[in-house]
Amino acid sequence: MPQRRSSKHSKKPLQVHNSNQADLSAWRKRGTVNPEKSVQNRRSLSDQKNDSKQDSLEEALSYFEKVQNRVSLKKSEVLQKHLSTVESIALQRGLPPEGFDVLLDVVLSGKLADTVNTRILKSLVPASVIPESSVVSSVSWLCVSKCSSNIQLLFLRWLITMFDFIDRKEQVHALYGIFFSFLNDEKLCPYICHLLYLLTRKENVKPFRVRRLLDLQSKMGMQPYLQALLSLYKLYCPELVSIALPRKVKTYFKNSDGLWKAAINAVRQRNQANSPVSRPLFLDTAQPQSRKRKWNAQLIIPASSANMQNLVVDSKKNCVDSYSTNESFPVERLQTFPQLLRNIHRLEFPSQMGSVLANPLLLHYMNCIKDESVYLRLYYWMGQTLQEECTWCVVDNNQYEEEFKGFLETVYKAECFLQEGFSSCEEFLYRSLPLWDGVSCRSQVLRLVSWIPLSTFSEMKSQLCDPLAQLFFTSSLYFKCSIIESLKELLQNWLNWHMVHLDSESDSQFCSLDTTLSGLVNGVAELVQFVGQISTAALQLEKNHTFLLYFILDFYETVCDMYLKYKLPLLIMPPAGVFYAALLSMDSVNLNQLCYIMYRYRTNLIAAKESEQNKKKLQQFKFSSQTYQEYNQYIIAMVGCLWTSTAFQKDNHPQGIRLDDELLEKTGVQEYRNSFNIVYHPALMCYAVDFLQQAWPDDTTFNFSLIKGKKWNWYLKYLYARGLEGLKLFIESSINRVSKASQSKAEN
């Protein structure tokens, strides 16, 4: 049995905040308070309280160290007193490092009843760090089974929760085989797997351990905690684990910190000013994260006392070539980019992978070194945190919405940095969107939607698109615009991903997604069609609102250039409900957008046609004749409206604006044929009026029929000068011959 350290140690006053109360006795005697004497008095009172509590804690530790036989809690006032002392001090400010050796020994040695041991374990909240020797001693007690199975299980839960508070972990890593032997206990197995998941390194993966896990899986079934450990083993040594494991990241382990979370948060708040983590160790050095909630605390790399000493020593050493040693390099010592380059193959990541999210250096590492174990650990931690702390899934979390927003923002920024979405965020969105009210953390959630990894659209439709559509149709105009914008960014991220991996199909991430070009084409096509459907319905609901139409056309500006700009063999025309709403819009911005979009469609279709004709071999993808046919129908309608004034007669689209002359005459509109050309169009009429005022300042009749012949060409130049670049590109490309014929005829 390891030797226990004596609880007799030099007194270290526990850190507390000074009282802000005035010295009332001085006020009563003199009527005024001397500031200097008041501060001294407060300090002396604080020191007295600290000394008193320190003495009480030392007395309690001494009692628990010397206790030998079982003592009844109900009959022993001394035990009740010392137990209450440990509980109160632990929950107020945490226990000092030297207290854990004594308390863990008395709990796991079975000297006291389970009721007392449970209360002590629940009180083991550190003020700073937990000595590694205390954990090693505890494991030795665990091996001799002096305590009950319930206490063993509770100890493992405590060890998992406090893992990052252990000052060193080399000796704990050396106990890997001992922990592995406890897998035989079916009750302890889930927590042992969780602990092994945190401890596993590549050198721990052995064939006999893989065989043991496979035997357990055949005996117990596909348990998520066994899958987690096997997945990690397979990442380190794929040649040893040949079975297929689920690709989707699940919630592998149950939450273990429920008993200690509130106490840890309370202690952190009290000791925040005197935290053992120095300011330079905060990952977000410009603005330290809030430490009220678990995820914010885990965005900070835990720094032990030993590592702090190493930091001081390292600052005094000269920089040397770190490749000459095989020692691991703790990430809390990583401060600069050159330091990252020197130690990039020796980094030892913390078990709580949340600390990676806000650290640019570690994100650089993830971007450069495709370490699947790092991704797996990060996905596990993030999935657990998102599930437990979601403010609209867990009722008690409503008060922490602002902090949850900050956490989601940190996740989003990390995705932008890595230029790829996290699968754990995808799982979170699929689970939580059906419960989302569309209000809580709106902008953060929609930003995360834009980084959902490319997958089969059938899964996305039921778990993402359907919940979004329900919110879309029942929400405000601005929420509809936000969803369209988010889906546009999602499409752009998919297309950018395709561009990056177009020439690097051997990339590990590409292979892991198991996404073929046909799968990408099908997924993008279904997403575009989904946006087209909800856009058509939304325009009807919002009466073709200009603001909504702008966001919809902005989406199709990306769609119309997928072939040339993103090298994706796919083009999808906008639905008639979007096209005609833009063509007949009363806003010149929307009309100009539509003209630019149709110009880009023409450019892409011509390039695709030329490519098909030039390549003799059979191509995998060809644009369907329906795409060309639909484009031609739209062009006939646009030219008929804007130029030839024949849209009502020649528009042949099934949902077009073709009308009989008899019906048009009944409207009583004069010159109805010209109603939508570039002079009379409602979106351009303000320009025509201004042009007439400049050309004929004395004419107040606003005779639009004057704009013809040379004046027509002058009017075109006037429109181009007003920034209608899309209209210019469309007319010069699609109406080029008509324009030249009109110009030569007018000049003759």
Side-chain angles (χ1 to χ4, degrees):
M1 194 69 60
Q3 294 182 354
R4 296 194 299 268
R5 294 177 299 176
S6 175
S7 64
K8 299 297 181 181
H9 49 77
S10 59
K11 293 184 179 180
K12 296 180 180 179
L14 299 176
Q15 297 168 343
V16 296
H17 296 290
N18 291 328
S19 174
N20 292 325
Q21 296 177 349
D23 190 344
L24 296 181
S25 61
W27 179 80
R28 288 187 181 123
K29 290 180 180 180
R30 304 179 186 85
T32 58
V33 177
N34 187 323
E36 295 182 0
K37 291 185 178 180
S38 177
V39 171
Q40 292 176 359
N41 291 335
R42 287 200 299 269
R43 287 178 179 174
S44 62
L45 289 174
S46 177
D47 291 342
Q48 290 175 8
K49 291 180 181 179
N50 287 338
D51 291 341
S52 175
K53 290 186 177 182
Q54 184 72 15
D55 291 339
S56 299
L57 180 60
E58 286 188 0
E59 186 179 346
L61 293 177
S62 178
Y63 170 81
F64 284 117
E65 185 180 24
K66 295 177 181 178
V67 67
Q68 295 296 330
N69 301 319
R70 281 183 174 258
V71 181
S72 174
L73 180 61
K74 295 182 179 179
K75 297 180 181 180
S76 176
E77 294 183 358
V78 177
L79 176 57
Q80 294 178 12
K81 172 189 173 184
H82 293 315
L83 184 58
S84 299
T85 298
V86 171
E87 287 178 327
S88 62
I89 292 178
L91 297 179
Q92 286 179 7
R93 64 198 67 192
L95 295 175
E98 52 271 13
F100 287 91
D101 196 29
V102 174
L103 295 176
L104 285 172
D105 280 2
V106 74
V107 166
L108 297 172
S109 62
K111 295 178 181 179
L112 299 175
D114 279 4
T115 305
V116 179
N117 293 334
T118 300
R119 289 176 61 180
I120 293 176
L121 271 176
K122 290 180 179 180
S123 302
L124 294 182
V125 179
S128 56
V129 295
I130 299 173
E132 184 184 31
S133 58
S134 301
V135 177
V136 174
S137 175
S138 303
V139 175
S140 66
W141 278 113
L142 199 66
C143 292
V144 297
S145 301
K146 291 286 186 179
C147 59
S148 66
S149 60
N150 289 334
I151 296 300
Q152 290 178 346
L153 189 147
L154 189 60
F155 167 73
L156 289 175
R157 290 181 60 187
W158 173 86
L159 185 57
I160 292 168
T161 303
M162 304 298 174
F163 189 81
D164 276 329
F165 289 94
I166 303 173
D167 59 354
R168 295 184 181 89
K169 297 187 180 70
E170 288 305 315
Q171 294 181 28
V172 179
H173 277 289
L175 301 176
Y176 191 93
I178 295 177
F179 287 122
F180 195 89
S181 66
F182 282 96
L183 287 174
N184 296 323
D185 191 317
E186 189 171 344
K187 188 176 181 181
L188 301 181
C189 186
Y191 300 99
I192 291 295
C193 285
H194 194 167
L195 185 59
L196 291 173
Y197 189 91
L198 299 177
L199 287 170
T200 298
R201 296 172 177 172
K202 188 171 183 178
E203 59 267 22
N204 298 127
V205 182
K206 305 293 183 183
F208 74 91
R209 288 178 178 148
V210 175
R211 289 194 297 270
R212 180 60 186 150
L213 288 176
L214 294 176
D215 291 342
L216 284 173
Q217 185 169 261
S218 62
K219 176 184 176 182
M220 303 169 63
M222 292 286 287
Q223 299 298 330
Y225 45 86
L226 293 175
Q227 291 180 23
L229 204 51
L230 282 170
S231 298
L232 193 58
Y233 279 18
K234 188 170 185 177
L235 288 176
Y236 282 128
C237 299
E239 69 278 3
L240 296 180
V241 185
S242 58
I243 65 168
L245 295 170
R247 289 184 178 275
K248 291 295 182 182
V249 179
K250 296 183 177 180
T251 304
Y252 288 133
F253 307 111
K254 294 181 179 179
N255 182 24
S256 298
D257 66 351
L259 296 174
W260 296 275
K261 182 168 66 174
I264 291 173
N265 291 334
V267 169
R268 277 178 171 150
Q269 289 180 21
R270 287 179 177 273
N271 298 339
Q272 184 173 3
N274 300 302
S275 172
V277 182
S278 62
R279 184 59 60 97
L281 289 179
F282 279 94
L283 296 178
D284 187 2
T285 56
Q287 188 175 2
Q289 297 286 337
S290 169
R291 305 183 69 180
K292 293 181 181 179
R293 300 292 284 166
K294 177 182 68 175
W295 62 78
N296 283 329
Q298 289 174 336
L299 294 179
I300 301 170
I301 297 178
S304 66
S305 57
N307 288 332
M308 290 292 292
Q309 294 173 2
N310 291 337
L311 284 173
V312 175
V313 173
D314 288 347
S315 63
K316 297 179 180 179
K317 291 181 178 180
N318 295 325
C319 295
V320 296
D321 184 7
S322 298
Y323 291 112
S324 60
T325 176
N326 293 324
E327 295 180 1
S328 60
F329 188 84
V331 292
E332 62 264 26
R333 294 167 57 185
L334 187 63
Q335 301 294 320
T336 63
F337 193 76
Q339 200 176 26
L340 170 67
L341 296 179
R342 290 195 302 271
N343 300 281
I344 195 166
H345 296 291
R346 303 194 301 114
L347 285 182
E348 179 185 1
F349 276 72
S351 59
Q352 297 292 359
M353 292 298 296
S355 56
V356 176
L357 288 178
N359 190 335
L361 294 177
L362 298 184
L363 291 176
H364 272 301
Y365 173 87
M366 291 182 64
N367 228 359
C368 298
I369 307 296
K370 298 300 182 181
D371 188 344
E372 295 287 354
S373 64
V374 173
Y375 279 91
L376 188 62
R377 290 181 186 274
L378 179 61
Y379 292 165
Y380 155 67
W381 172 85
M382 192 182 301
Q384 289 280 103
T385 304
L386 289 169
Q387 179 183 4
E388 296 166 9
E389 308 298 343
C390 176
T391 55
W392 59 89
C393 294
V394 183
V395 177
D396 295 338
N397 290 341
N398 290 334
Q399 56 183 322
Y400 301 109
E401 181 175 344
E402 290 302 319
E403 294 189 38
F404 191 58
K405 283 182 181 179
F407 173 66
L408 295 181
E409 195 71 30
T410 301
V411 173
Y412 170 73
K413 290 179 180 177
E415 289 182 326
C416 292
F417 188 96
L418 296 172
Q419 286 295 293
E420 63 178 311
F422 298 133
S423 59
S424 51
C425 284
E426 178 187 11
E427 293 286 334
F428 163 70
L429 291 171
Y430 288 167
R431 287 194 306 266
S432 63
L433 279 180
L435 305 174
W436 186 43
D437 58 3
V439 177
S440 301
C441 310
R442 175 187 293 181
S443 62
Q444 289 76 22
V445 171
L446 292 180
R447 286 179 179 179
L448 292 181
V449 167
S450 68
W451 279 109
I452 290 180
L454 179 63
S455 58
T456 56
F457 194 80
S458 58
E459 182 180 2
M460 281 189 61
K461 188 176 188 309
S462 60
Q463 301 188 59
L464 174 72
C465 297
D466 290 349
L468 277 182
Q470 293 178 8
L471 289 169
F472 183 84
F473 294 127
T474 57
S475 299
S476 66
L477 169 70
Y478 298 99
F479 184 73
K480 292 182 176 69
C481 296
S482 299
I483 289 184
I484 296 294
E485 177 71 13
S486 178
L487 294 177
K488 184 201 77 170
E489 292 177 358
L490 174 64
L491 175 62
Q492 287 179 334
N493 288 332
W494 285 2
L495 295 174
N496 288 331
W497 178 89
H498 168 65
M499 285 291 293
V500 170
H501 295 88
L502 192 61
D503 298 324
S504 57
E505 295 186 359
S506 61
D507 187 272
S508 62
Q509 291 294 315
F510 183 89
C511 296
S512 67
L513 286 172
D514 194 23
T515 303
T516 60
L517 182 58
S518 61
L520 174 66
V521 169
N522 293 334
V524 170
E526 293 186 57
L527 175 62
V528 173
Q529 290 169 359
F530 170 74
V531 174
Q533 292 169 1
I534 64 173
S535 298
T536 301
L539 287 171
Q540 295 175 359
L541 289 173
E542 300 294 342
K543 299 180 180 179
N544 294 337
H545 198 284
T546 300
F547 193 62
L548 176 62
L549 188 56
Y550 171 83
F551 281 90
I552 295 172
L553 293 175
D554 193 42
F555 175 84
Y556 280 98
E557 279 193 32
T558 301
V559 175
C560 70
D561 245 348
M562 290 192 297
Y563 179 73
L564 285 179
K565 188 174 181 180
Y566 297 101
K567 305 294 188 274
L568 188 71
L570 177 68
L571 278 180
I572 299 177
M573 302 301 298
V578 172
F579 172 79
Y580 285 101
L583 179 60
L584 307 180
S585 172
M586 300 184 68
D587 187 271
S588 60
V589 174
N590 294 150
L591 182 62
N592 187 62
Q593 275 183 294
L594 178 65
C595 291
Y596 176 77
I597 289 170
M598 296 306 294
Y599 161 73
R600 292 306 303 169
Y601 270 120
R602 181 180 188 275
T603 305
N604 280 257
L605 287 170
I606 290 176
K609 197 68 175 177
E610 291 176 350
S611 177
E612 292 176 5
Q613 294 173 352
N614 293 336
K615 293 182 179 179
K616 297 181 180 179
K617 63 179 181 179
L618 184 64
Q619 289 184 311
Q620 182 181 3
F621 296 96
K622 289 185 177 181
F623 293 153
S624 66
S625 58
Q626 183 181 356
T627 303
Y628 292 100
Q629 180 182 358
E630 194 169 11
Y631 169 78
N632 289 332
Q633 289 174 337
Y634 285 163
I635 284 296
I636 291 173
M638 285 190 70
V639 173
C641 273
L642 300 176
W643 198 262
T644 62
S645 301
T646 57
F648 295 122
Q649 291 76 34
K650 294 187 177 181
D651 188 353
N652 58 359
H653 193 280
Q655 301 179 38
I657 58 175
R658 182 169 184 170
L659 295 172
D660 293 334
D661 290 341
E662 296 179 0
L663 184 61
L664 289 169
E665 289 174 357
K666 290 181 181 180
T667 62
V669 177
Q670 297 179 357
E671 300 292 336
Y672 59 82
R673 295 177 183 271
N674 302 329
S675 297
F676 292 100
N677 66 21
I678 59 174
V679 176
Y680 290 91
H681 197 291
L684 302 174
M685 189 172 289
C686 59
Y687 294 102
V689 170
D690 187 58
F691 176 77
L692 287 174
Q693 289 178 338
Q694 293 184 26
W696 294 277
D698 298 331
D699 187 359
T700 59
T701 60
F702 297 111
N703 186 3
F704 294 109
S705 61
L706 295 175
I707 305 178
K708 60 183 178 179
K710 290 184 178 180
K711 305 296 190 299
W712 181 277
N713 294 323
W714 294 352
Y715 178 60
L716 277 181
K717 294 179 181 179
Y718 168 83
L719 291 177
Y720 300 161
R722 292 298 180 271
L724 299 177
E725 189 66 24
L727 180 67
K728 177 183 178 182
L729 292 171
F730 174 77
I731 290 177
E732 290 182 349
S733 61
S734 300
I735 320 178
N736 191 33
R737 294 180 179 178
V738 179
S739 177
K740 287 184 177 180
S742 300
Q743 184 176 2
S744 60
K745 183 178 179 180
E747 290 176 352
N748 291 332

